[in-house]
Amino acid sequence: MTAPALTGRPTAAPAPLDAPPDTAPDASPRALLWRSLRARRRDLALASLFFSSHQLGEALVPVIVGAAVGNAVQDGTPGQLAGWLGLLAADFLLLSLSYRFGARAAKRAAQHTEHQVRGLLTGAVLRPTGGVRLLPGDLLSRAAGDAERVGAYARTLASTVAAVVVLLAAALLLVRISPPLGALVVAGTAGLLAAQHRLSATLRRTSAAEQAHQAGAAALAEDLIRGLRVLKGIGAERTVAADYARVSQDAVRAARRAASAEAALLSLGTAFTGLYLTAVAAVGGRLALDGRLGLDEFIAALGLAQFVIGPMRVVAAARAGHARALASAARLHEVLVTPPAVTDPGETTGAPGAGGRRRVPSDAGEAVTNRLGTDAVVVRSGGGDGGVAEGGSGGGDTGVAEGPGRGDASASERGAGGGDAGVAEGPGGGDAPASERGPGGGDASASERGDGGGDASASERGPGRVAAGPPGSDGVTTVLGDGDLEFRGVRLPDGSVLDARVPGGAMTGLVCDAPAVAEAVTALLAREFDPAEGAVLLGGTDLAALPLETLRATALVCPHEPALLPGTLADNLGALSDGDAATAEGARAALADQVVNAAPHGAGTSVGDRGETLSGGQRQRVALARALAARSPVLVLHDPTTAVDAATEHTIADRVRRTRAGRTTLVITNSPTWLARCGRVVHLHGTPAAARCDTGTHTALLAESPAYRRTVTR
């Protein structure tokens, strides 16, 4: 699974429960399993103590009954019998309360152990340096099924300790009654454990295979559900259904093999306990016939022999539980030991606490002050200062709502008048962006205010500097040279080499013939991986030399398919914003205010999982508005409007250019609409062995470069 889209506010990965963020991964799955259990040792000790007390109480039942019967046979008085019955009642009260409190402690240990390993897994997946690229369904299977199995073993362990204790106690009691019977219990238990040890390795292997196949089926199911509309559009339902049926059947067969191995292990335990009980009955009966056992002793011996079958079965099942837990711990350990995709120079300075500040060493760039954490942002569906304006009948931002049934089709696949068509704004429209309003307007941008404006944007400072927010504000203050982005001999995954410069304070377009190359450049700028050769520089500083918090507070990368967060439209539009004004500005520029106005509950409308309640064009507009609201000094957009129609794309591109005036913006796209608004365009084309970069304006490249013309007009 790829790392989440980078945000304009640095965030620290949450620390797992009972484990510091810098805890080194365990050396082996076994070490991970036992460390997780040791973290809940108090609950495990209590559970083991109360379960042992419960088991001992049950073991005493046949002994007390035997003593009561023997006393009654030997002319016991009614008072003595009542005393024995009272003792039996006290024993039942003891074992009942012991189980009650033991079950509570065991459940607590299991839940907290499960939560701890799930926290460790989440921390590894969400760490800023990345590295874990498993499919979401696979990760979900590990975080749910495997973590649950590890947690369940905590209860199994407490029950096993109690079973071992009561087996020892029963053996001692039987030795006092008859040494041969005590030796028989010890020999039967030892033989059972030895036999099961040989079979547990098979169960461990089959259990791991079962979990892996289930994870594969879950991952495929998630992908199919997410792309269901596309699959229906191309008529591939039967093909993918057959693929899922095949994968599902493989998972079923793996589950059957694991169940067979577990059944073999448990049946072996059942056979051993049956043979043991038969042997005890035979030996005890022989001793009773020979007169070496009294009636009370014979009753107690048979009762104990029958009782210890339960603890022996617990011990038998413990091997199966341990094998399953160890197999799941191995799958969790695989994720935890995944090496990071990149290194973070900032880790050497120590992680700041939430809301704190950190000083970055001078060799990592110039002085950087990061203020972590953002205040909650409320997006209003009505107009007003800083809110998301509603489009009126005469407003400039009014547009045609997306038509029903359009789905995720791109503009090229829709007919005229398709869903996302917008109406170009008229002069003087009430919802015109800040840059179009006259001076003195309440939401006027910094470029239209006087030099002393407190909220002045980067355009007011001139293109020579990259900055975000005044010092001491709620933003992030970063000074990194002139804000240029430069690719120096960067070798991309396909083998081509990129040499290009993105000037600071301007909008630049990057055109790549191959979509995979465009995705690779986006990932490079997000530092999802580092180039094998060459370097990417920001303001003259290698990205690899910048602390990740510094880089991600300065450069915001919006991928082609950004994920919307579960919650409402307001939650997503304001996720990266430092205030209502920034949120409203981003929403107007991306025409996301139209999405809010068309939604049934306005800004409070839920977007569902990954924005499933929105169309493709709506999702893109909300994601773009979220990125613009961050007011990041450097913004990278990868094909931000492929799912909207041409008219809406023209309006959005115009507004983004005005909104981002004076800030560094790189648009990775083949769209002529965006490229025409870029002051500079870089075209990477040719074979990997003979790749070349052409630079110029969109108009000049169209006239002079046939390769560029073919790429952007196809």
Side-chain angles (χ1 to χ4, degrees):
M1 185 181 73
T2 59
L6 303 177
T7 68
R9 292 286 180 270
T11 56
L17 186 67
D18 296 330
D22 56 350
T23 300
D26 295 278
S28 66
R30 193 181 303 274
L32 170 63
L33 176 62
W34 289 111
R35 181 169 74 91
S36 302
L37 294 173
R38 282 198 303 271
R40 306 306 305 176
R41 53 185 174 271
R42 181 177 179 275
D43 287 331
L44 284 174
L46 287 175
S48 300
L49 176 63
F50 284 120
F51 279 161
S52 298
S53 177
H54 167 262
Q55 292 287 314
L56 288 173
E58 288 195 340
L60 288 175
V61 170
V63 176
I64 295 174
V65 170
V69 171
N71 182 268
V73 170
Q74 296 174 2
D75 300 326
T77 64
Q80 290 175 329
L81 182 60
W84 285 111
L85 292 178
L87 181 61
L88 184 62
D91 182 53
F92 272 105
L93 179 63
L94 170 68
L95 65 90
S96 176
L97 292 176
S98 296
Y99 183 81
R100 176 184 179 183
F101 292 111
R104 286 183 178 180
K107 186 67 172 179
R108 208 163 43 239
Q111 290 294 317
H112 281 278
T113 301
E114 178 182 344
H115 178 65
Q116 180 186 357
V117 295
R118 187 175 292 124
L120 290 171
L121 182 73
T122 303
V125 173
L126 298 181
R127 63 188 172 188
T129 53
V132 179
R133 297 188 175 275
L134 297 173
L135 292 173
D138 191 352
L139 287 174
L140 180 62
S141 173
R142 296 175 196 242
D146 290 309
E148 183 180 5
R149 283 188 175 186
V150 171
Y153 185 64
R155 181 186 176 92
T156 301
L157 180 61
S159 301
T160 304
V161 170
V164 171
V165 169
V166 78
L167 282 174
L168 291 176
L172 291 176
L173 288 173
L174 285 174
V175 165
R176 292 195 60 182
I177 296 173
S178 172
L181 291 179
L184 192 58
V185 171
V186 174
T189 304
L192 174 63
L193 293 177
Q196 287 190 325
H197 178 71
R198 298 181 64 86
L199 289 177
S200 62
T202 302
L203 176 58
R204 191 161 57 247
R205 288 193 301 270
T206 56
S207 180
E210 175 195 10
Q211 290 294 92
H213 280 84
Q214 286 182 356
L220 180 58
E222 186 199 25
D223 287 343
L224 294 182
I225 292 173
R226 189 181 302 170
L228 189 58
R229 287 188 294 183
V230 176
L231 294 172
K232 286 184 175 180
I234 62 176
E237 298 100 315
R238 292 187 178 181
T239 301
V240 297
D243 288 342
Y244 181 75
R246 175 181 52 80
V247 173
S248 180
Q249 286 300 317
D250 290 342
V252 169
R253 284 190 287 269
R256 286 176 177 171
R257 286 192 292 269
S260 297
E262 184 175 10
L265 202 60
L266 295 178
S267 62
L268 179 64
T270 302
F272 258 86
T273 54
L275 292 174
Y276 150 78
L277 182 60
T278 302
V280 169
V283 174
R286 181 68 180 177
L287 293 175
L289 290 175
D290 291 344
R292 287 183 284 176
L293 280 180
L295 178 61
D296 56 340
E297 293 175 328
F298 183 63
I299 292 175
L302 285 181
L304 281 173
Q306 186 174 12
F307 164 73
V308 297
I309 290 178
M312 291 183 74
R313 286 177 177 172
V314 171
V315 173
R319 294 300 303 182
H322 179 261
R324 284 183 171 273
L326 199 57
S328 291
R331 284 169 48 79
L332 295 169
H333 185 261
E334 179 187 357
V335 177
L336 297 180
V337 298
T338 301
V342 297
T343 58
D344 185 6
E347 288 181 350
T348 59
T349 65
R357 297 175 183 269
R358 74 190 283 174
R359 178 77 175 178
V360 178
S362 58
D363 59 353
E366 300 191 41
V368 179
T369 302
N370 288 338
R371 184 183 186 278
L372 303 185
T374 56
D375 296 331
V377 176
V378 178
V379 181
R380 297 184 293 272
S381 60
D385 215 10
V388 178
E390 295 180 346
S393 59
D397 279 356
T398 56
V400 180
E402 294 184 351
R406 186 189 53 79
D408 286 338
S410 65
S412 60
E413 297 169 325
R414 302 187 209 113
D420 281 331
V423 179
E425 56 186 355
D431 290 337
S435 57
E436 294 180 343
R437 302 195 193 109
D443 286 336
S445 70
S447 60
E448 296 167 329
R449 302 194 195 107
D451 291 339
D455 292 334
S457 68
S459 60
E460 192 176 27
R461 305 181 190 100
R465 268 320 200 199
V466 173
S473 71
D474 286 340
V476 178
T477 301
T478 304
V479 180
L480 289 172
D482 55 7
D484 286 1
L485 271 174
E486 187 174 358
F487 299 86
R488 289 185 181 175
V490 175
R491 185 167 295 279
L492 300 173
D494 70 337
S496 58
V497 176
L498 177 59
D499 278 292
R501 175 178 169 273
V502 178
M507 179 181 286
T508 303
L510 175 62
V511 179
C512 303
D513 286 356
V517 173
E519 292 180 1
V521 173
T522 305
L524 274 174
L525 293 172
R527 275 210 77 200
E528 293 183 10
F529 70 95
D530 289 328
E533 295 180 14
V536 182
L537 283 70
L538 174 59
T541 303
D542 193 336
L543 295 188
L546 290 172
L548 287 175
E549 287 184 1
T550 304
L551 173 62
R552 292 170 181 176
T554 306
L556 176 61
V557 179
C558 186
H560 176 50
E561 295 183 0
L564 295 188
L565 306 174
T568 64
L569 286 169
D571 295 333
N572 281 274
L573 291 172
L576 308 180
S577 173
D578 57 3
D580 286 356
T583 304
E585 178 185 69
R588 282 193 296 268
L591 292 185
D593 51 356
Q594 295 180 3
V595 179
V596 172
N597 295 333
H601 303 293
T605 303
S606 173
V607 301
D609 182 40
R610 294 177 175 266
E612 63 184 6
T613 64
L614 305 177
S615 69
Q618 290 175 326
R619 284 197 298 269
Q620 284 191 334
R621 285 191 276 177
V622 172
L624 178 58
R626 179 179 61 187
L628 294 172
R631 292 179 174 173
S632 179
V634 179
L635 178 62
V636 179
L637 303 174
H638 179 204
D639 280 331
T641 53
T642 54
V644 302
D645 63 279
T648 303
E649 186 177 37
H650 275 279
T651 304
I652 292 175
D654 272 335
R655 295 187 180 188
V656 170
R657 176 177 57 82
R658 288 192 294 269
T659 300
R660 293 291 302 173
R663 298 187 183 106
T664 305
T665 307
L666 175 63
V667 185
I668 304 173
T669 183
N670 293 357
S671 167
T673 300
W674 283 94
L675 297 171
R677 287 155 179 82
C678 294
R680 176 188 177 98
V681 176
V682 178
H683 181 208
L684 175 64
H685 62 99
T687 63
R692 54 176 294 180
C693 290
D694 294 335
T695 304
T697 64
H698 173 66
T699 304
L701 289 175
L702 277 178
E704 300 170 3
S705 173
Y708 180 82
R709 194 161 49 248
R710 285 194 302 270
T711 300
V712 300
T713 58
R714 63 188 174 188

